[in-house]
Amino acid sequence: MRSFYSVALGLLGASAVASAADVESDVVQLTADTFSDFVKEHDLVLAEFFAPWCGHCKALAPEYETAAQELKEKNIPLVKVDCTEEADLCKEHGVEGYPTLKIFRGPDSVKPYPGARKSGALVSYMTKQSLPAVSDVSEENIEEFKSLDKVVIVGYLASDNKKAKDAFNTLAESERDNFLFGASDDAAVAKAEGVEQPSIVLYKDFDEKKAVYTGDLDSDSILAWVKTASTPLVGELGPETYASYIKAGIPLAYIFAETPEEITKFAEDFRPIAEKQRGKINFATLDAKAFGAHASNLNLDPSIFPAFAIQDPEKNHKFPWDQSKDFSIEDIGKFVQDVVDGKVEPSIKSEPIPETQEGPVTVIVAHTYQELVIDNDKDVLLEFYAPWCGHCKALAPKYEQLAKVYAENPEFASKVTVAKIDATANDVPDAIQGFPTIKLFPAGSKDEPVEYSGSRSIEDLAEFIKTKGKHQVDAVEEFTKPQEEEASSSSSSAAPTQTESATGEASGEAARDHDEL
């Protein structure tokens, strides 16, 4: 299963491109015989574990090659391993999907690469990894350092200001994957940059180019400012930027535009609104022709553009602008302020409430979610599914069997509900990363649901309800007993197959085998 952010980028329509040729490549191909020695000989290595037939690997290839060319000058090698030829090496490094990117600092220090699969993101991230958490900045290297990345943060702090330096260093250590940090204790350097000690300056290649912080010198306060100052007033939403906006911790305003000219115009028109709401809402334009399908996820009609909506990813609240109204910047500005002031109710997409519940699996819709999942004293097992999901369709008959045992036993039914919700047709409180996702909402602890990650056999699901539910309802024997009787009454060699068939699937199939959103 790919992460939520990779899945969301798929929704935004990132397209595959052809693989780069290996001729005169700056990407070093390694084997089991060469990998270990190469990693030992270099302080920092980015490795791609790939398969030649993998479409995502082919899409990455030209980006990876471009990044390798740029990083070669910084002595940061990019390597690749063909897992169809080096299966044992890939297994040794825990490769479960393609492509897998990992960062090596010698053979014993390994971590996954978390960034976007674009050359700019690869270069930026690996450059940060090559430098100390805080680099020394001087009169001689200040200009070069400021140009190393799109956003660079420099602390101008006196050598005897221990409290400020400790806070800055703590922040730099925690955020070194996201930003470049430098520091100078030379008052003359600070003066040349137009600031006085203590100050923190964020240099950027957009908007006002430079922002100065002079607030409380604690790491949390500085970080809050950095997140705001490093975000464009009106940015551009796409595969490389989507994840950072979603993780920003504040709502995001989507501006759907159909042409490059319209994108440029709206970016300028919305600047005053974005300036007013800075730190409260981020604003970004979105190419409606390329990514217009994403409008439906915001409860907008994807056939009507331009369009506008605000999304709060943390609460999963959506505030779409009424598309029957004129696309008036002035009116939308008032709408944005009303959202900030809490005067606008979130839009909730919901299927109609079922008049009757047919079948043992309780059907949940957005308008019944609170009542049937949260506001009751039952343990609720809830499957988040999509109608088109192949894994969901495979699970359906077994899930019906599971629900039937609880629904037809009065004692069980009073304590357990087995339910499902179409997460494509109903807004749900939490972001769902793949289908099916199964969660148990224990009675008395509904705000702490437990996500299921075991095999999709009926017995294992029943055991999950028993061990994780408050009521500890034990229905496991209801599923195992008939199978045991069948096996014991049959002397044929087919008995194990019949038992496996009764469970629905081999227990080795894990719930991580999701279909994408």
Side-chain angles (χ1 to χ4, degrees):
M1 179 185 73
R2 290 192 291 166
S3 69
F4 169 71
Y5 305 110
S6 296
V7 168
L9 298 186
L11 272 173
L12 288 177
S15 60
V17 294
S19 174
D22 288 335
V23 179
E24 299 182 358
S25 172
D26 287 308
V27 178
V28 181
Q29 182 149 358
L30 299 178
T31 66
D33 294 332
T34 58
F35 188 88
S36 180
D37 287 341
F38 190 93
V39 168
K40 288 178 182 177
E41 293 167 1
H42 295 83
D43 294 332
L44 182 65
V45 176
L46 178 62
E48 176 201 3
F49 299 88
F50 75 100
W53 46 260
C54 163
H56 295 297
C57 303
K58 293 176 182 178
L60 171 62
E63 302 288 344
Y64 202 65
E65 184 66 47
T66 299
Q69 293 171 1
E70 293 189 39
L71 289 170
K72 184 178 181 181
E73 300 175 359
K74 303 177 188 292
N75 197 30
I76 304 173
L78 270 60
V79 306
K80 62 183 180 180
V81 175
D82 183 346
C83 290
T84 64
E85 296 182 358
E86 306 294 338
D88 289 342
L89 178 60
C90 294
K91 183 178 180 181
E92 176 186 341
H93 290 289
V95 177
E96 296 181 348
Y98 308 122
T100 291
L101 298 174
K102 295 197 174 190
I103 299 166
F104 289 80
R105 294 180 183 275
D108 299 323
S109 177
V110 187
K111 71 175 186 178
Y113 167 75
R117 295 173 184 167
K118 296 291 183 180
S119 59
L122 290 162
V123 171
S124 175
Y125 189 88
M126 293 307 295
T127 299
K128 297 182 184 76
Q129 295 298 303
S130 70
L131 297 173
V134 180
S135 299
D136 290 330
V137 173
S138 65
E139 183 179 354
E140 289 74 24
N141 71 358
I142 179 68
E143 292 303 322
E144 179 185 1
F145 186 76
K146 284 158 56 176
S147 66
L148 287 178
D149 208 0
K150 292 182 177 181
V151 174
V152 174
I153 302 158
V154 178
Y156 297 98
L157 308 169
S159 57
D160 59 354
N161 193 339
K162 185 176 185 303
K163 180 180 178 182
K165 293 187 73 172
D166 286 347
F168 188 75
N169 290 338
T170 297
L171 172 65
E173 285 289 352
S174 66
E175 293 293 318
R176 64 177 301 165
D177 289 353
N178 301 317
F179 301 103
L180 278 181
F181 291 86
S184 172
D185 58 10
D186 189 338
V189 175
K191 185 177 181 180
E193 291 298 309
V195 297
E196 295 181 356
Q197 297 175 334
S199 293
I200 297 172
V201 178
L202 185 146
Y203 301 94
K204 48 190 171 181
D205 65 358
F206 52 87
D207 291 344
E208 70 274 31
K209 307 297 183 181
K210 175 180 175 181
V212 181
Y213 179 77
T214 56
D216 293 337
L217 291 171
D218 64 87
S219 55
D220 289 342
S221 297
I222 300 170
L223 177 59
W225 170 78
V226 165
K227 286 185 175 180
T228 299
S230 63
T231 303
L233 272 176
V234 182
E236 187 170 348
L237 203 58
E240 288 192 62
T241 60
Y242 185 82
S244 61
Y245 274 115
I246 293 299
K247 293 188 293 183
I250 62 174
L252 172 62
Y254 297 76
I255 307 165
F256 288 87
E258 295 184 281
T259 65
E261 294 77 18
E262 203 171 51
I263 288 175
T264 300
K265 179 180 185 301
F266 287 153
E268 188 62 31
D269 290 346
F270 275 90
R271 281 183 66 86
I273 303 173
E275 182 70 61
K276 181 179 180 181
Q277 305 299 343
R278 192 165 203 168
K280 300 174 185 176
I281 296 179
N282 286 327
F283 287 74
T285 59
L286 192 61
D287 183 344
K289 288 187 176 179
F291 309 129
H294 192 63
S296 62
N297 299 322
L298 302 167
N299 298 351
L300 288 166
D301 183 340
S303 67
I304 301 175
F305 296 113
F308 179 87
I310 297 172
Q311 178 189 19
D312 185 340
E314 291 192 345
K315 299 178 181 177
N316 204 24
H317 286 172
K318 304 166 187 177
F319 305 90
W321 170 253
D322 187 345
Q323 290 169 283
S324 67
K325 297 181 178 180
D326 291 337
F327 198 80
S328 163
I329 305 299
E330 182 180 354
D331 291 344
I332 292 175
K334 295 175 182 176
F335 170 75
V336 170
Q337 187 61 55
D338 286 343
V339 171
V340 171
D341 293 339
K343 297 179 180 179
V344 181
E345 288 294 321
S347 167
I348 299 177
K349 179 170 63 177
S350 178
E351 293 180 293
I353 297 175
E355 295 183 6
T356 59
Q357 290 288 351
E358 298 179 1
V361 180
T362 299
V363 176
I364 308 292
V365 299
H367 289 321
T368 61
Y369 189 94
Q370 188 70 26
E371 174 191 355
L372 298 180
V373 179
I374 307 300
D375 294 340
N376 59 70
D377 296 325
K378 292 185 179 184
D379 295 328
V380 180
L381 186 74
L382 181 60
E383 176 201 3
F384 299 85
Y385 76 95
W388 44 258
C389 162
H391 293 297
C392 303
K393 292 174 182 177
L395 174 63
K398 291 175 288 180
Y399 204 68
E400 288 275 335
Q401 286 180 263
L402 178 76
K404 186 175 181 181
V405 167
Y406 291 95
E408 293 183 351
N409 184 314
E411 182 182 354
F412 293 172
S414 66
K415 298 176 181 177
V416 174
T417 296
V418 177
K420 64 181 180 180
I421 185 169
D422 181 348
T424 68
N426 298 276
D427 284 337
V428 294
D430 299 317
I432 302 302
Q433 297 184 350
F435 301 125
T437 291
I438 301 172
K439 294 185 180 184
L440 181 70
F441 294 77
S445 303
K446 302 291 183 153
D447 57 339
E448 299 177 0
V450 185
E451 185 165 346
Y452 181 70
S453 59
S455 74
R456 297 192 191 117
S457 69
I458 301 174
E459 295 90 343
D460 286 348
L461 286 164
E463 182 67 25
F464 178 67
I465 293 172
K466 172 189 171 183
T467 57
K468 299 299 182 181
K470 177 183 178 181
H471 299 300
Q472 299 184 331
V473 173
D474 188 358
V476 178
E477 290 186 3
E478 299 296 321
F479 303 105
T480 58
K481 186 176 180 181
Q483 296 165 17
E484 290 169 358
E485 289 176 350
E486 181 181 353
S488 63
S489 65
S490 174
S491 60
S492 74
S493 61
T497 302
Q498 292 168 352
T499 302
E500 182 178 345
S501 176
T503 63
E505 63 186 20
S507 61
E509 179 182 349
R512 62 182 173 81
D513 296 326
H514 288 53
D515 279 359
E516 297 169 2
L517 290 170

